[in-house]
Amino acid sequence: MISLRCARLFDGDTMHDGPRTVVLDGGRIVGFDDAAVDVVDLGDVTLMPGLVDAHTHLVFEPGSDILADMASTPRDVVLERMRRHAVEALHAGITTLRDLGDRDYLAVELRDGGGLLPEILAAGPPITIPGGHCWFLGGEVPADRSALIDAVAERVSRGVDVVKIMATGGGITPGSAAHSSQYSFEQISAVVEAAHSAGLPVTAHAHGALGVRDAVHAGVDGVEHATFLDGTGGAAPDWDTIAEIISRGIYVGVTAGRLLTGPPTPPHVLAARAFLARMHRSGARIVCSSDAGIIAYKPHHCLPHGLSEFQGFADISAAAVLTSVTRLAAESCGVGSRKGRIAPGYDADLLAVSGDPTQDLAAMRSVSAVYRAGTRVC
Ligand SMILES: [Zn+2]
């Protein structure tokens, strides 16, 4: 049993000013006890739940030529690199990460391999059409109902936590148009039915309006990006589909994590961020994640660096941003009953930062301590 004293505590939803003492036992949070003995005083810090990065790619070496790298790097080299990336994330306070696209089910292997790492949730290779977005990860499946059902069955047998389908093309794949659909409504529906009957959630990568709409009506649990890119360098949100996203409680993953030193946000991404504030005001469950690995300015620890920019796009309070990367992100990954909050019974995955991030999100980059299942990491 150990107890941690902090100057302020953010519980996943609310900031509690003034000293609090959190009691941990066996990797779990037991409760609060300001009279506890055997206390570790963390000093003038805000203690909060460890961050949940709901969209990462541990296999990608940021800044590499992804196609050439995935084609030539042996699996043991990739696996070791993934471990290093996971440790980088952990030291930045990311105690849970959902890998939404690996090669050879290596994120499943890393998840099951032990060691002091973030909790990993893995999708395996994303389902994509032959030659489609991220085909080089090995998840090519023809646009055919029975082939798609077989692909889900393979993922179930490999022990994935979530099924990822590329409903549209994407930016990092040569020859792929982000706004174009890859699968039909019926085909996405087949994936969703097969996954749900095996007890697995589905999240769909979707940029174009048709792809988002088909995924939403097919019953996916999450939509990644939902940028409504129109193929002309702009974005055209479909508010009927957004209303459906809201009424169905579908999580929207906005991959805004990026280093501050990266290039300016490109115009098509700015266009896609321009309607986030209205989406949030309308009640959408928007999770801020990173897509770490896909490009040089998205290293695996980048999530906390993008939070201020995300706050500006979404026009929400800093506290709401913190909820988006803790409590809400945990719920979107299906682990909301044990991650993303500081509450009795929750996992002792904790982050202490200097200062008060509800006043200034820059404090999220001043990591003072990280605990993973009650073990101090740094
Ligand atoms: Zn991604």
Side-chain angles (χ1 to χ4, degrees):
M1 193 108 87
I2 61 163
S3 303
L4 308 179
R5 184 165 294 150
C6 57
R8 293 164 299 281
L9 185 140
F10 179 77
D11 65 9
D13 284 289
T14 306
M15 180 63 112
H16 303 272
D17 276 316
R20 303 291 301 268
T21 303
V22 182
V23 183
L24 316 180
D25 189 17
R28 291 277 170 80
I29 297 164
V30 176
F32 303 94
D33 181 2
D34 290 333
V37 290
D38 199 13
V39 171
V40 177
D41 190 348
L42 295 172
D44 183 19
V45 300
T46 300
L47 190 65
M48 58 183 293
L51 306 180
V52 177
D53 192 341
H55 186 149
T56 76
H57 299 277
L58 290 170
V59 292
F60 292 152
E61 188 65 56
S64 67
D65 176 342
I66 284 178
L67 263 83
D69 179 60
M70 286 294 104
S72 63
T73 310
R75 57 177 286 132
D76 55 332
V77 175
V78 177
L79 189 60
E80 238 3 81
R81 164 206 292 182
M82 292 170 78
R83 182 176 300 280
R84 173 168 51 80
H85 291 159
V87 169
E88 273 173 29
L90 185 58
H91 282 250
I94 298 161
T95 51
T96 301
L97 55 82
R98 184 170 66 166
D99 189 293
L100 287 185
D102 69 11
R103 197 194 79 187
D104 302 331
Y105 295 90
L106 286 171
V108 176
E109 202 167 319
L110 186 66
R111 178 196 72 190
D112 295 343
L116 188 54
L117 296 176
E119 175 142 340
I120 294 170
L121 302 154
I127 293 174
T128 193
I129 56 170
H133 181 45
C134 286
W135 62 268
F136 42 82
L137 291 175
E140 293 172 290
V141 184
D144 168 79
R145 186 182 168 84
S146 70
L148 287 162
I149 291 169
D150 288 349
V152 172
E154 181 193 324
R155 283 157 180 75
V156 172
S157 73
R158 299 296 291 253
V160 302
D161 301 288
V162 56
V163 172
K164 167 93 178 283
I165 180 167
M166 302 302 202
T168 70
I172 63 167
T173 305
S176 174
H179 65 282
S180 296
S181 289
Q182 298 200 145
Y183 293 107
S184 68
F185 162 74
E186 288 77 13
Q187 290 156 356
I188 302 170
S189 297
V191 168
V192 171
E193 282 163 25
H196 284 179
S197 66
L200 291 180
V202 176
T203 196
H205 158 108
H207 284 294
L210 179 61
V212 177
R213 189 173 78 197
D214 285 342
V216 165
H217 287 271
V220 297
D221 304 275
V223 176
E224 305 303 314
H225 312 298
T227 49
F228 295 95
L229 297 183
D230 61 10
T232 69
D238 166 2
W239 290 100
D240 288 341
T241 297
I242 292 172
E244 201 68 29
I245 287 173
I246 293 163
S247 68
R248 291 172 181 244
I250 294 170
Y251 295 94
V252 177
V254 173
T255 54
R258 70 199 300 278
L259 289 188
L260 302 170
T261 51
T265 304
H268 71 283
V269 177
L270 289 177
R273 303 285 187 250
F275 54 89
L276 271 189
R278 180 174 160 193
M279 238 171 129
H280 184 269
R281 280 197 307 275
S282 305
R285 295 161 147 180
I286 300 175
V287 172
C288 181
S289 60
S290 71
D291 222 350
I294 62 162
I295 204 158
Y297 56 84
K298 286 180 178 282
H300 292 271
H301 65 279
C302 74
L303 179 63
H305 296 253
L307 299 181
S308 299
E309 190 181 46
F310 174 74
Q311 182 186 15
F313 291 139
D315 192 24
I316 57 179
S317 68
V321 172
L322 298 179
T323 295
S324 169
V325 289
T326 55
R327 198 256 303 160
L328 198 62
E331 288 173 11
S332 80
C333 294
V335 292
S337 63
R338 57 192 180 87
K339 304 283 188 189
R341 293 177 60 205
I342 298 183
Y346 275 66
D347 292 353
D349 291 355
L350 300 165
L351 166 62
V353 297
S354 304
D356 180 352
T358 63
Q359 298 300 315
D360 183 356
L361 286 164
M364 293 300 293
R365 306 194 297 272
S366 299
V367 173
S368 178
V370 177
Y371 286 80
R372 167 76 176 105
T375 298
R376 188 161 185 168
V377 175
C378 61

